[in-house]
């Protein structure tokens, strides 16, 4: 399940250099460091690094914004009011 980008917080991952991509997200740096130590002991000779995720980027395809209901500053109010027949003049 994908979290909303605005709700994401920094997280840490452990990467074994030359190994597959990390996938587990640790909620604290200390937890990730403990995991790196455990993995290093289990795999002598492999270097494990703790990486912190600090930025997130996404692309959105379309955003819809209803201009009729958008708040307006006083100097940007529409010049014409809609009549009963919805013709703005």
């Amino acid at each position: 399940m994908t979290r909303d980008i605005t709700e994401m917080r920094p997280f840490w991952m452990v990467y074994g250099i030359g190994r597959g991509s990390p996938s587990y997200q640790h909620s604290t740096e200390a937890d990730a460091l403990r995991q790196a130590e455990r993995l290093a002991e289990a795999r002598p000779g492999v270097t494990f690094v703790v990486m912190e995720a600090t930025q997130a980027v996404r692309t959105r395809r379309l955003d819809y914004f209803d201009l009729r209901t958008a708040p307006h500053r006083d100097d940007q109010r529409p010049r014409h009011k809609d009549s009963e027949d919805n013709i703005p003049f």
Side-chain angles (χ1 to χ4, degrees):
M1 181 173 142
T2 303
R3 290 183 286 177
D4 185 284
I5 197 169
T6 62
E7 296 174 1
M8 293 181 71
R9 299 290 174 257
F11 60 88
W12 292 261
M13 300 181 94
V14 177
Y15 172 61
I17 298 198
R19 304 294 177 182
S21 300
S23 60
Y24 187 80
Q25 297 179 7
H26 297 272
S27 59
T28 69
E29 184 177 13
D31 287 346
L33 184 56
R34 278 192 295 278
Q35 175 70 353
E37 291 167 350
R38 186 187 70 75
L39 291 169
E41 287 180 359
R43 293 167 182 84
V46 177
T47 300
F48 290 89
V49 294
V50 174
M51 302 182 301
E52 179 181 12
T54 60
Q55 303 290 323
V57 179
R58 74 167 173 213
T59 299
R60 291 209 229 163
R61 299 190 96 178
L62 299 171
D63 281 334
Y64 291 92
F65 188 73
D66 189 338
L67 301 176
R68 294 169 292 185
T69 60
H72 297 278
R73 293 190 340 226
D74 288 340
D75 62 336
Q76 292 182 338
R77 290 202 184 278
R79 295 182 190 175
H80 305 287
K81 295 232 181 226
D82 288 345
S83 63
E84 289 181 24
D85 60 3
N86 289 329
I87 297 174
F89 50 85

